[in-house]
Amino acid sequence: MPDKTWFGKITRRLFLVFLLFALVPTTVLTFLSFRYISNESTRQVNRLQDEQVGVMVDSLLGRLTVLNERLSYLAEDEELQLAVDGDAEAASGKERYSVLSIADLEAAQGSRESAFPAARLRDGGVLLVHIGAAPAEKKVYLVRAIDPGDFSAGLAAFQLDVTSVLGEPDSWDLRLASCVYDEQSKVLFATEAGVCKAFAGLDAYRGNYRGLATTNHEGVEYYAGYKSIYLGSVYGAHDWRALVARPSMEIFAASEEFKRDFFSLVLLVVLLISLVSIFLIRRQMSPLGQIMAGIERVARKDYGRAVEVSSGDEFEELADAFNGMSERVAHQLLTQASMSEIDQLILSRVKKEDIIQIVLEQTRAVLPADNIAMVLVQQDAELAEVYRLSGADELIHTGAQFESSLRQRFMQDDYLLLQGTDSETPHYITATEIPSRFYFQSIPVRQEDELIALIVLAFKQCPEFGEDDVTLAQNYADRIAVALANAEWEQRLYRQAHYDGLTGLPNRMSFLDRLGQNITRVERQQETMGILFIDLDNFKLVNDTLGHPVGDEFIKLVAARFEDCMRAEDSVSRLGGDEFVITAAGSADHELTVASVSRVANRILEAAARPLTVEGHEIRASASIGIAIYPKDGSDPETLLKNADTAMYHAKSMGRGKFQFYSSELNAQLLELMRLSTDIRNALEQHEFELHYQPKVDTYSARIVGAEALVRWNHPSRGLVRPDEFIKAAEGLGLISAIGDWTLEAACRQQRDWRNSGVVPVRVAVNISAVQLQQDEMFAKIDSLLTKYNLEGADLELEITENLLVQDMESAVKVLSQIRSLGVAVSIDDYGTGYSSLSYMKELPVDTLKLDSCFIIDLCEDSADQAIVNSTIVLARNLNMKVLAEGVETEGQLQILASYGCNEIQGHYFSQALPEQEFTALLKMDQPFAAPEGSQALADS
Ligand code: C2E
Ligand code: MG
Ligand code: MG
């Protein structure tokens, strides 16, 4: 038992109270009895003193009486008379007897009492007189007349001394000092002269008949009783005083001893009481000490030992109560600890399955059960997933039906106790595969008015589920609800962070992550792989013309198509916007990988090119793909992605719908492209662009009927640069609109100049890029240019390449119709290179088809070309369109075209594109070219 409890505060307090209650009466009693006893002893001493002094006085008076009698007897004795007469011999032995004359007496007495001695003596009485010259020599005599009738016979006298007054020294009590004083307190007789003298000086008892006194003599305290000796009536003298003194120490020795013993005794008793009370209190309090020790153990979280008290009193009850309480506290604390442990475990888990695993493993630390299962309830179906642990603690799960009535029931009730054999045992319980003889307690896990799960506790015996248990279970269920919600939230965050919201494909971050992992794997297996960077061509167009919702839907459909093209080992991710990336698995051989990745790229291009219908709009997409091969084109995700991107850029610059492998030269080209971008911007600012004009010639009159404005770049270092070298790039770089705007305005200005200078004006055709036609303001721009330069619509023609029109037919038709309403002519450039069929063309608001030069080059030799050209011209004519043949270089070509009825000719045969002054000069001549032979006849036919 710990030491401090046995004499703890209460014990101490009890002890003090006990002591107080023991000491107060003891002290009072001691005090009273002590006072009584000491008073009594003083009284006794005093009585003794009084008695002693009384005895002394009595014996003194007795002696005086004897002496008096002897004196009276002697007065009649003859011998005495003889002695008085002077017979010394006879007088010897008669001690101090003497005969005095009355004169002696009178002399001794003086005048003071001259009358009365005589009278007393005459009456035959005795007289006590002091006779002496000086006070120191005075002697005390007892005197009597020998013959009372005749004083001349003399007076018989006896001189008193110590012996005669106080008896023989042998009989003196040596412990006592006996003193006799005269009326002036002068010492008359003393057994101890010093002591008596000391008392003589005290005034205290002057005037008192009897009493007590103390004084010091030679450092010793004496205590004395005194008493007056009445002498007046018998001896005719003043009263004497008798005193008997003893050292106080002797007198009070007994009482001092008593006092000493008494106090020792009292002290002893008090000590005894203390010891006994300590012993008793300690014995009574020892259960308290045990309880205290128990409390301390509990405080130290040591719940293992109960307090054992069998005192049969309230302490025992207290100990029992304490044991019960600490048991509950221990249980609660343990539960709490387990709960917070579980809390920590489940809250740190992101995966639902991990949480379930922990719940199944740990629940029994909190809630007792023989077996346990967890049921996840699906929100939008009458289904549930039932989880339990296999023997190897492996999580297994099965599906079960979950009736909506149960769902409602669990929203109201806090638990549901079922016996396994109940006919109404729900499916979710049978799915736990726990034997049906068990009892099942289902605790709902709810979250914001929704039942999300159940914890199913299974018991072999019917469980007692108290109110505390229900609260605990509910508390526990709430924590699980929080953990599950947390996990779901985390998963959503994870999805948001790693997956693209629109397509559900992995995003850039997870792509890079996965690519990193793939690289590690591929590197280990010494394989190669391809990274395909896909960019949709003209996605911006879809967004701008059809709106973002259509654009989003379009992206989703395209993404789905891409996924469909994937082999199992490939994966597609969306980097953002219209950019996708594919990781395509390869083999150990680089060439084989290149081949297989090319096949993937082709499949993607095909998939992208197939028309798509979104909200009733038919959209023809195309994609450009750049490919980087690991490890040749980079060994880390960033480099691979960057190089694939570069390759994609290049693919775009080659014209859309193509794929391109990365090469280091390609990178250089890209750099070149970047430089070009800066140069073009500079060129626009520095007015380095100029227009050359190529005549369009009427097949039959050979007159110039129009001119195509072709841009040239008067490069400061490279000289004259042809558009083939920068138009595609400018489109890719987003600079074509700026160039196009400049061309349009320059052409209009030129037209005005020609008109102002009075040359015969011809229609000027300007090439329009796809991007320009997508501009909403194209119509307004042309309209304002015509106004600005005061031109007719018929003065201007727009050339649009066929591919461009086909991509977005609907809006192209709209814009072109508007432009044509101004009188501006529209022709299809490079006709025959695109996918369009003529029947398709009939929808288009077009004036002229410009047959591409690829049909003309071999026209004289190639009968297929001839057939195509011929039928095209026939069909065009039927559709009220004119046909112009481009790239006509020879007489033969011209002849054939003329024979087919081709309306106009453009080509080196007549003229190449000429600088402005040369072309102006040509116009000024206003002459037809030399018409080919027979052309007139053909025209007529
Ligand atoms: P295009 O519109 O088909 O222009 C005709 C091209 O064929 C011109 O080349 C012209 O010089 C060339 N050509 C004409 N006759 C013959 C011939 O008999 N034999 C041969 N081999 N070539 C002939 P150029 O000027 O180099 O222009 C190339 C392309 O550049 C044009 O093809 C046009 O698509 C584009 N382009 C030119 N100027 C512009 C412009 O201002 N804006 C836009 N967007 N594109 C332009
Ligand atoms: Mg053209
Ligand atoms: Mg052309």
Side-chain angles (χ1 to χ4, degrees):
M1 181 169 56
D3 273 332
K4 74 174 192 187
T5 49
W6 83 265
F7 210 72
K9 278 188 189 156
I10 292 186
T11 315
R12 232 173 322 183
R13 204 175 306 149
L14 268 179
F15 174 67
L16 284 179
V17 170
F18 202 82
L19 216 56
L20 201 71
F21 279 92
L23 277 185
V24 167
T26 312
T27 313
V28 170
L29 213 68
T30 307
F31 174 72
L32 288 178
S33 51
F34 178 76
R35 218 175 63 161
Y36 173 77
I37 290 169
S38 69
N39 282 354
E40 196 51 38
S41 83
T42 311
R43 246 194 314 276
Q44 253 174 24
V45 166
N46 289 350
R47 198 167 334 125
L48 195 72
Q49 288 299 86
D50 200 46
E51 266 170 27
Q52 271 179 343
V53 80
V55 168
M56 177 190 161
V57 169
D58 287 350
S59 66
L60 187 147
L61 285 175
R63 273 190 205 102
L64 278 183
T65 307
V66 171
L67 285 173
N68 186 17
E69 269 172 23
R70 279 179 71 182
L71 198 59
S72 74
Y73 176 69
L74 273 178
E76 289 156 24
D77 191 346
E78 283 174 17
E79 279 183 40
L80 180 70
Q81 285 178 17
L82 286 176
V84 173
D85 289 345
D87 187 346
E89 193 105 350
S92 70
K94 297 299 175 204
E95 297 124 357
R96 278 153 289 153
Y97 288 97
S98 59
V99 177
L100 298 174
S101 68
I102 194 84
D104 294 336
L105 206 63
E106 279 169 351
Q109 294 294 102
S111 60
R112 201 165 39 117
E113 280 184 57
S114 54
F116 96 86
R120 282 194 77 89
L121 291 175
R122 238 184 304 277
D123 289 346
V126 67
L127 208 62
L128 196 69
V129 290
H130 298 247
I131 296 168
E137 290 163 17
K138 271 194 177 159
K139 307 274 171 16
V140 182
Y141 290 90
L142 206 57
V143 182
R144 189 176 256 280
I146 295 171
D147 179 3
D150 182 11
F151 284 165
S152 60
L155 304 171
F158 182 79
Q159 190 192 344
L160 296 179
D161 63 358
V162 173
T163 315
S164 53
V165 174
L166 297 176
E168 291 295 324
D170 300 350
S171 65
W172 292 351
D173 187 338
L174 288 177
R175 289 170 306 169
L176 298 175
S178 305
C179 315
V180 178
Y181 303 91
D182 68 5
E183 81 276 8
Q184 285 161 341
S185 295
K186 218 182 110 230
V187 178
L188 289 177
F189 310 102
T191 57
E192 292 253 7
V195 175
C196 294
K197 260 203 184 109
F199 274 102
L202 292 178
D203 289 335
Y205 50 90
R206 195 156 291 165
N208 293 340
Y209 170 66
R210 61 198 298 174
L212 297 160
T214 38
T215 193
N216 263 308
H217 173 63
E218 291 177 353
V220 179
E221 196 194 62
Y222 285 84
Y223 190 66
Y226 62 88
K227 190 174 182 185
S228 291
I229 309 168
Y230 185 60
L231 297 174
S233 61
V234 181
Y235 298 99
H238 292 288
D239 291 350
W240 286 354
R241 190 183 295 266
L243 182 140
V244 178
R246 274 176 81 179
S248 303
M249 233 166 61
E250 278 176 29
I251 301 175
F252 294 109
S255 96
E256 285 300 320
E257 199 176 326
F258 164 75
K259 276 186 207 170
R260 210 172 45 238
D261 291 353
F262 185 79
F263 280 120
S264 308
L265 199 71
V266 168
L267 223 73
L268 199 72
V269 167
V270 168
L271 206 70
L272 215 71
I273 289 174
S274 305
L275 285 175
V276 169
S277 56
I278 286 173
F279 173 73
L280 285 179
I281 291 173
R282 209 188 118 175
R283 237 181 80 150
Q284 289 300 313
M285 284 307 193
S286 85
L288 187 65
Q290 275 169 282
I291 294 172
M292 287 285 289
I295 290 173
E296 277 181 11
R297 279 200 300 277
V298 167
R300 285 199 308 272
K301 297 189 174 145
D302 168 7
Y303 303 100
R305 214 146 37 101
V307 176
E308 276 164 31
V309 174
S310 50
S311 55
D313 55 12
E314 285 87 344
F315 278 129
E316 190 175 328
E317 285 172 30
L318 186 65
D320 289 347
F322 172 77
N323 286 338
M325 193 186 73
S326 70
E327 219 168 274
R328 272 199 305 282
V329 167
H331 176 69
Q332 248 167 33
L333 285 179
L334 279 177
T335 309
Q336 210 80 51
S338 311
M339 285 265 247
S340 61
E341 204 176 312
I342 295 172
D343 241 10
Q344 274 181 6
L345 281 173
I346 57 180
L347 284 176
S348 61
R349 293 304 192 281
V350 192
K351 275 172 68 185
K352 192 175 66 184
E353 285 74 16
D354 290 351
I355 294 172
I356 294 168
Q357 175 110 18
I358 291 165
V359 168
L360 294 179
E361 280 170 0
Q362 307 278 336
T363 300
R364 261 169 286 179
V366 182
L367 300 166
D370 295 310
N371 215 326
I372 188 157
M374 191 158 168
V375 180
L376 285 199
V377 180
Q378 285 189 13
Q379 291 315 308
D380 33 19
E382 288 204 335
L383 289 172
E385 289 167 272
V386 181
Y387 290 85
R388 66 196 165 83
L389 291 181
S390 73
D393 271 1
E394 222 171 273
L395 195 64
I396 38 181
H397 94 276
T398 42
Q401 203 183 326
F402 195 81
E403 296 80 7
S404 57
S405 57
L406 274 170
R407 192 190 300 267
Q408 273 154 23
R409 197 171 161 188
F410 279 118
M411 283 316 290
Q412 289 154 10
D413 293 353
D414 280 338
Y415 60 94
L416 173 66
L417 182 62
L418 291 166
Q419 203 173 340
T421 48
D422 279 1
S423 56
E424 54 174 26
T425 307
H427 294 97
Y428 75 85
I429 286 201
T430 43
T432 60
E433 290 177 25
I434 298 169
S436 61
R437 57 184 152 66
F438 274 65
Y439 292 84
F440 295 92
Q441 183 76 275
S442 302
I443 298 151
V445 177
R446 291 177 290 221
Q447 188 199 323
E448 288 177 4
D449 301 332
E450 288 207 68
L451 179 72
I452 55 171
L454 292 171
I455 305 165
V456 180
L457 305 176
F459 302 87
K460 285 177 183 155
Q461 248 98 52
C462 186
E464 279 175 33
F465 235 55
E467 205 173 304
D468 280 358
D469 296 309
V470 174
T471 315
L472 182 69
Q474 212 37 59
N475 215 332
Y476 184 56
D478 288 347
R479 281 156 204 257
I480 293 167
V482 170
L484 286 175
N486 207 33
E488 198 185 294
W489 177 248
E490 292 274 356
Q491 260 172 7
R492 192 180 313 156
L493 284 185
Y494 181 85
R495 270 202 302 277
Q496 274 172 13
H498 293 83
Y499 290 87
D500 170 48
L502 186 64
T503 59
L505 294 177
N507 62 11
R508 173 186 288 267
M509 196 169 100
S510 12
F511 162 74
L512 289 173
D513 256 16
R514 288 170 183 210
L515 184 56
Q517 291 162 14
N518 269 333
I519 287 174
T520 317
R521 182 182 55 79
V522 169
E523 187 184 24
R524 199 173 41 241
Q525 294 168 357
Q526 298 200 321
E527 285 181 356
T528 61
M529 69 176 164
I531 309 302
L532 288 78
F533 194 115
I534 308 167
D535 188 289
L536 297 181
D537 302 324
N538 306 320
F539 171 64
K540 191 178 173 303
L541 178 68
V542 177
N543 251 350
D544 289 352
T545 54
L546 302 175
H548 285 263
V550 174
D552 284 354
E553 196 54 34
F554 171 69
I555 287 285
K556 260 158 92 174
L557 293 172
V558 170
R561 275 193 185 174
F562 290 171
E563 271 190 297
D564 287 345
C565 313
M566 289 303 100
R567 300 171 300 179
E569 60 271 33
D570 301 339
S571 70
V572 58
S573 310
R574 183 180 176 214
L575 297 183
D578 59 352
E579 290 175 349
F580 295 84
V581 65
I582 288 170
T583 313
S587 61
D589 182 76
H590 179 83
E591 298 307 322
L592 284 179
T593 301
V594 167
S596 73
V597 168
S598 300
R599 280 195 294 277
V600 174
N602 270 321
R603 277 208 303 279
I604 291 285
L605 289 181
E606 276 168 29
R610 265 184 284 135
L612 268 167
T613 312
V614 183
E615 291 181 14
H617 306 277
E618 195 184 65
I619 304 174
R620 278 162 186 270
S622 70
S624 301
I625 304 176
I627 303 168
I629 303 286
Y630 170 87
K632 182 183 138 286
D633 301 331
S635 54
D636 60 279
E638 283 76 18
T639 311
L640 284 169
L641 191 64
K642 192 187 96 209
N643 290 343
D645 189 12
T646 304
M648 186 280 294
Y649 233 107
H650 195 72
K652 263 205 195 298
S653 71
M654 296 184 325
R656 280 93 205 278
K658 297 194 168 64
F659 69 83
Q660 172 70 51
F661 279 91
Y662 173 80
S663 69
S664 48
E665 305 85 65
L666 226 160
N667 203 18
Q669 282 175 24
L670 191 76
L671 285 175
E672 174 63 26
L673 210 61
M674 293 302 160
R675 201 173 313 125
L676 186 65
S677 164
T678 325
D679 284 359
I680 292 174
R681 281 173 226 274
N682 283 339
L684 283 165
E685 277 172 26
Q686 307 293 323
H687 309 291
E688 287 171 8
F689 290 114
E690 58 182 64
L691 287 181
H692 283 199
Y693 298 91
Q694 187 176 31
K696 293 184 178 179
V697 182
D698 183 86
T699 316
Y700 306 104
S701 64
R703 292 191 83 88
I704 299 173
V705 289
E708 179 174 6
L710 294 160
V711 73
R712 297 288 180 266
W713 181 1
N714 213 343
H715 198 278
S717 56
R718 290 160 64 192
L720 210 60
V721 182
R722 297 181 68 94
D724 282 339
E725 292 180 46
F726 63 90
I727 288 293
K728 277 261 156 48
E731 278 177 348
L733 295 168
L735 290 168
I736 196 63
S737 290
I739 298 174
D741 288 352
W742 177 86
T743 317
L744 254 180
E745 176 141 19
C748 290
R749 198 188 310 117
Q750 187 59 58
Q751 184 71 300
R752 172 64 12 221
D753 285 353
W754 285 328
R755 279 162 196 278
N756 290 348
S757 63
V759 296
V760 183
V762 291
R763 192 202 292 264
V764 178
V766 177
N767 291 286
I768 294 293
S769 156
V771 186
Q772 280 175 283
L773 202 66
Q774 286 150 19
Q775 290 173 342
D776 288 340
E777 65 272 28
M778 194 59 196
F779 167 74
K781 208 177 261 177
I782 289 169
D783 192 25
S784 74
L785 278 173
L786 293 179
T787 316
K788 182 176 174 185
Y789 292 103
N790 192 19
L791 298 175
E792 299 286 313
D795 295 335
L796 194 62
E797 182 176 346
L798 300 185
E799 292 189 12
I800 296 128
T801 36
E802 181 197 3
N803 287 340
L804 189 163
L805 279 173
V806 170
Q807 276 169 24
D808 188 10
M809 195 76 165
E810 207 174 322
S811 62
V813 169
K814 208 176 106 201
V815 180
L816 292 180
S817 304
Q818 281 181 330
I819 292 172
R820 277 183 87 210
S821 71
L822 293 170
V824 176
V826 173
S827 51
I828 303 287
D829 206 349
D830 304 339
Y831 182 77
T833 55
Y835 305 97
S836 52
S837 64
L838 245 188
S839 59
Y840 194 67
M841 284 294 131
K842 73 170 191 271
E843 309 285 327
L844 283 170
V846 166
D847 302 279
T848 311
L849 293 182
K850 290 185 76 177
L851 265 176
D852 194 76
S853 54
C854 66
F855 299 107
I856 310 302
I857 289 176
D858 301 322
L859 189 64
C860 299
E861 300 83 35
D862 192 329
S863 56
D865 281 350
Q866 290 169 5
I868 292 170
V869 171
N870 194 7
S871 61
T872 305
I873 293 171
V874 172
L875 275 169
R877 192 184 300 136
N878 289 340
L879 290 170
N880 281 328
M881 292 180 190
K882 286 197 283 182
V883 175
L884 179 146
E886 287 187 281
V888 179
E889 292 183 354
T890 63
E891 172 86 38
Q893 291 163 348
L894 178 66
Q895 288 292 348
I896 294 173
L897 288 164
S899 71
Y900 291 161
C902 179
N903 306 84
E904 289 171 21
I905 300 294
Q906 184 182 346
H908 290 172
Y909 177 74
F910 290 118
S911 166
Q912 43 187 313
L914 301 171
E916 178 246 317
Q917 280 108 342
E918 285 177 40
F919 187 71
T920 307
L922 198 63
L923 281 183
K924 274 184 179 160
M925 275 161 46
D926 192 21
Q927 290 292 314
F929 289 103
E933 272 175 38
S935 61
Q936 193 55 48
L938 276 169
D940 292 345
S941 70

